Amino acid sequence: MTELASRAPLGHTIQGRISPRLNVPNSIERPEYMFHDGPERITASDVKDEETIERIREAGTIAADAMYEAAKAIKPGVTTDTLDRIAHEYMVDNGAYPSTLGYMGYPKSICTSVNEVICHGIPDDRPLEEGDIINLDVTAYKNGVHGDTSAMFTVGEVDEESRLLIERTAQATLRGIRAAKVGREINVIGRVIEVYAKRFQYGDVHDFTGHGVGEAFHSGLIVPHYDAAPLYNTVIEPGMVFTVEPMLTLGTIDYDIWDNDWTASTKDKGRTAQWEHTIVVREDGFELLTLPSDPSVGLRP
């Protein structure tokens, strides 16, 4: 591999044209935030009973399957809008509402974050290019609960630096998940992730975090991915459900918010990667609630 091919290029992603909002059949249940302005008004414990956990697992599997169905279409020339439509159709065909669609005004059914975009990239008519990396972030709402997941994908052949960033961010996610044990403060997750990220001199984004999820898309529980102690010292309990979703960068963690009020991209245009699972913590470990149906794909311990 040549020196040029080993290094990740700086980003040049710009917002393209956004297509009209996709339709969801009236028969599909909407989350409560679709019926009022402003943030969610759900108050529910982050510790879930078994019936609720199983509903979250069903929603999480639909989200994961929608994400990997969309990922099958990833190649140079395909637009992120196309990926959004595929995931949208999969979710509604399986009786789920795409949680992001209409959430606080967000116009699309998934987030598609390309190259230097940290998170909340809005699908549009920009065609993917050879060598791009992309995060698909998908949340499905069904039977009164949300399941939230994301993963990284490559567009054709990518440089070695980007490949390693993706691989190591996946490992950081799993290390953070394994650190989630009953009786520990939730900030231990970020401590473990930060220690691992520092081995490679990666930036570890602070301002976008994991969160409680279930009846609410985002509960009040915050799961930092950096060493935030003594802050965020909620003690982990059996049955607690939340996401772990670190975002690592090749350079700075400073970012700009685009004028769409959603998309965050690194100030230095360096590439960034993210993986995400919704998990439930058990007395003897954890379970992933956002595994796809196909055991041959997906981030697994």
Side-chain angles (χ1 to χ4, degrees), residues 4-43:
L4 179 63
S6 70
R7 300 299 301 274
L10 295 180
H12 58 274
T13 307
I14 58 173
Q15 180 75 63
R17 290 177 296 177
I18 300 173
S19 63
R21 180 167 160 170
L22 296 173
N23 180 60
V24 178
N26 291 332
S27 58
I28 292 177
E29 179 188 6
R30 267 71 168 160
E32 62 85 29
Y33 51 78
M34 295 303 298
F35 300 100
H36 62 81
D37 293 333
E40 296 173 272
R41 298 174 183 170
I42 292 287
T43 55

Side-chain angles (χ1 to χ4, degrees), residues 106-184:
Y106 189 84
K108 287 294 180 177
S109 297
I110 68 173
C111 298
T112 52
S113 300
V114 179
N115 295 337
E116 78 276 22
V117 174
I118 297 171
C119 58
H120 304 156
I122 299 176
D124 58 28
D125 68 350
R126 172 197 183 275
L128 295 171
E129 300 176 7
E130 180 81 17
D132 283 347
I133 63 173
I134 181 172
N135 175 273
L136 303 185
D137 192 341
V138 183
T139 309
Y141 178 79
K142 187 174 183 180
N143 295 326
V145 295
H146 303 266
D148 188 3
T149 190
S150 81
M152 293 298 300
F153 302 94
T154 59
V155 184
E157 295 295 322
V158 303
D159 59 274
E160 181 71 359
E161 195 171 31
S162 295
R163 186 190 68 78
L164 288 172
L165 175 67
I166 291 171
E167 178 183 296
R168 291 165 177 167
T169 305
Q171 287 303 311
T173 306
L174 293 177
R175 285 172 181 248
I177 289 170
R178 293 189 192 104
K181 296 183 183 297
V182 171
R184 288 180 169 178

Side-chain angles (χ1 to χ4, degrees), residues 65-118:
D65 287 345
M67 179 176 68
Y68 285 101
E69 188 66 25
K72 293 176 184 177
I74 292 175
K75 63 180 180 179
V78 171
T79 67
T80 53
D81 193 58
T82 296
L83 305 180
D84 178 77
R85 180 175 294 276
I86 293 169
H88 174 96
E89 291 177 353
Y90 186 94
M91 283 186 273
V92 299
D93 285 349
N94 284 274
Y97 187 90
S99 301
T100 62
L101 186 64
Y103 177 76
M104 300 288 287
Y106 189 84
K108 287 294 180 177
S109 297
I110 68 173
C111 298
T112 52
S113 300
V114 179
N115 295 337
E116 78 276 22
V117 174
I118 297 171

